[in-house]
Amino acid sequence: MKKKVFLSVLAALLISVPVFAATQVETTIQATIGADLSITTNIPGTKAIDITASSTTLGSVTISSNLTNWKIVIHSAKGGKMVRVGGSDVYPYLLNFGSTTGIDLASDYEIVKTAPQSPTSTTVVVTYTKASELNPALPAGTYEDTLTISLVAL
């Protein structure tokens, strides 16, 4: 009987103890997204220009970024001129990068971006004077320059 009384008293105490329920729950969720700054191209490693025309399409580049501060840098190893191999004669040209035309690469050309960019394809074209219209004519030979298009996080 003592046992029944003890259990009854214990049950009464548990029932009479107020139960406090939470009124809110808080959690922090996180996602870490790595930086993506990428360029792909269909421009070949070496591209012969058509000297009977006044321009040649090199190909296109596709650029994407999820950064908010970055830039595209276009660099010419020989200052925007094709130089005759084994000589110093030059065949000047200008660059068109998408809708931006007539870029003189005597110094690096930079396009500063302040927002992410979904993959965007841009056509790259060089423009120049037809070889037959150069006065004076250039000496025979191979003229070349190396173009580099880079993406840089700021």
Side-chain angles (χ1 to χ4, degrees):
M1 175 81 171
K2 277 186 166 186
K3 203 176 200 183
K4 275 188 175 180
V5 173
F6 175 73
L7 289 175
S8 296
V9 171
L10 183 60
L13 284 174
L14 289 174
I15 292 172
S16 65
V17 173
V19 177
F20 296 101
T23 59
Q24 76 180 35
V25 173
E26 186 176 293
T27 187
T28 301
I29 61 172
Q30 293 181 332
T32 302
I33 299 173
D36 174 34
L37 189 60
S38 66
I39 184 169
T40 58
T41 187
N42 65 2
I43 299 173
T46 300
K47 176 76 174 187
I49 66 167
D50 179 359
I51 62 170
T52 65
S54 58
S55 70
T56 298
T57 299
L58 301 180
S60 63
V61 293
T62 300
I63 296 171
S64 66
S65 173
N66 67 354
L67 302 178
T68 54
N69 291 299
W70 57 285
K71 66 182 174 180
I72 302 166
V73 179
I74 305 171
H75 172 76
S76 161
K78 298 181 179 165
K81 297 170 178 56
M82 292 174 278
V83 178
R84 186 168 59 87
V85 175
S88 59
D89 302 292
V90 297
Y91 194 165
Y93 67 90
L94 297 174
L95 186 81
N96 297 346
F97 189 77
S99 61
T100 305
T101 60
I103 300 169
D104 181 354
L105 292 174
S107 60
D108 289 355
Y109 183 77
E110 297 183 356
I111 304 167
V112 176
K113 301 286 192 165
T114 58
Q117 175 177 302
S118 297
T120 304
S121 183
T122 304
T123 302
V124 181
V125 177
V126 289
T127 61
Y128 43 86
T129 303
K130 295 178 187 177
S132 62
E133 296 175 0
L134 290 170
N135 190 9
L138 288 174
T142 300
Y143 291 74
E144 63 184 26
D145 187 14
T146 301
L147 291 176
T148 304
I149 302 172
S150 305
L151 306 180
V152 180
L154 300 177

